[in-house]
């Protein structure tokens, strides 16, 4: 990859946006910043660039999302599936049809959001379900490994629980901290970044403190209903991005 001023600016902006999302919503919506990166690099290179940056973002975000904001009962159910899902994603990375996975995940997420709107767009409280939690963790592990899009499966499990906005954000933050720590190794084995990618990675780390802090400030200004509405809106954006990636891949 040729390291130009445009590449640096666009990549920096993409990482800043991802950090902002982690500060505001705890994680899971990183995919909204990836379109910016796709302007200046291919998806696999972007994956190699982001894998270690995700770890740095998540560890910095834990400065704000402390243990008191973690839903430990949900994490106990979600994390085993996440670990298995990342392992499956790595083993199947080269043979999985990423386009089909993106389309299916987009369709399921859009149906989920549509049902929420049909139901009156209310913050509901539903009981925990071990099978649903394990499935969500597994699906999130696979999709975060192959497409950096593990947010929708997790959100579809956590949002209906009606957690407080801080607990929702803190739980997703720790969930993806664990996930990104695990998947960093297989991604670096797949891509092995060097040269200009390492330089760009070092430059983009400068975006982390400001991006996370700005997102955290926004989180503090949103009330419970506003945060949930924003999460559902971001699920729509994420789904449309996944749908576009899948469909355009087939059309190409």
């Amino acid at each position: 990859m040729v390291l130009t001023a445009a590449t640096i600016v666009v990549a920096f902006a993409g990482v800043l946006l991802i950090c902002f999302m982690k500060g505001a919503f705890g994680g899971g919506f990183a995919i909204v910043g990836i379109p910016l990166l796709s302007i200046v690099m291919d998806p696999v290179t972007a994956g190699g660039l982001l894998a270690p940056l995700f770890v740095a973002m998540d560890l910095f975000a834990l400065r704000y999302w402390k243990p008191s904001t973690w839903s430990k009962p949900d994490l106990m159910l979600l994390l085993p599936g996440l670990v298995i899902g990342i392992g499956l994603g790595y083993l199947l990375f080269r043979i999985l049809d990423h386009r089909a996975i993106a389309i299916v995940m987009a369709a399921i997420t859009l149906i989920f959001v549509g049902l929420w709107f049909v139901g009156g767009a209310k913050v509901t409280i539903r009981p925990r379900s071990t099978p649903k939690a394990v499935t969500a963790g597994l699906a999130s592990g696979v999709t975060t490994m192959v497409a950096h899009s593990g947010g929708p499966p997790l959100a579809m499990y956590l949002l209906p629980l009606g957690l407080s906005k801080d607990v929702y954000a803190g739980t997703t933050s720790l969930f993806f901290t664990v996930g990104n720590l695990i998947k960093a190794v297989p991604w670096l084995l797949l891509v092995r970044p060097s040269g200009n990618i390492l330089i760009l990675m070092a430059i983009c780390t400068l975006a982390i403190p400001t991006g996370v802090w700005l997102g955290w400030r926004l989180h503090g200004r949103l009330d419970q209903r506003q945060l949930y509405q924003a999460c559902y809106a971001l699920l729509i954006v994420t789904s449309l991005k996944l749908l576009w990636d899948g469909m355009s891949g087939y059309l190409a």
Side-chain angles (χ1 to χ4, degrees), residues 10 69 80 93 114 132 227:
V10 172
T69 66
F93 184 83
K132 288 181 180 179
L227 183 114

Side-chain angles (χ1 to χ4, degrees), residues 139-208:
S140 184
V142 173
T143 54
T144 196
M145 183 63 209
V146 302
H148 290 310
S149 59
L154 179 66
M156 283 188 281
Y157 172 74
L158 288 179
L159 287 173
L161 298 181
L163 302 173
S164 72
K165 66 170 189 171
D166 289 345
V167 172
Y168 175 83
T171 302
T172 60
S173 181
L174 183 65
F175 179 87
F176 284 107
T177 298
V178 174
N180 289 326
L181 279 167
I182 295 171
K183 79 174 186 180
V185 174
W187 258 106
L188 292 175
L189 290 174
L190 288 167
V191 180
R192 298 183 185 277
S194 60
N196 288 339
I197 295 296
L198 291 175
I199 296 172
L200 186 59
M201 195 182 296
I203 294 172
C204 287
T205 57
L206 301 176
I208 293 174

Side-chain angles (χ1 to χ4, degrees), residues 76-126:
M76 290 292 290
L77 298 174
L78 289 162
L79 290 176
L82 171 68
V83 175
I84 296 170
I86 291 174
L88 286 174
Y90 174 69
L91 293 174
L92 300 175
F93 184 83
R94 299 189 186 281
I95 60 175
L96 282 175
D97 189 334
H98 300 179
R99 299 164 298 183
I101 291 175
I103 292 171
V104 170
M105 192 71 256
I108 293 172
T109 307
L110 287 172
I111 292 170
F112 169 77
V113 176
L115 290 173
W116 182 71
F117 278 110
V118 170
K122 298 177 181 178
V123 177
T124 58
I125 300 178
R126 297 178 184 174

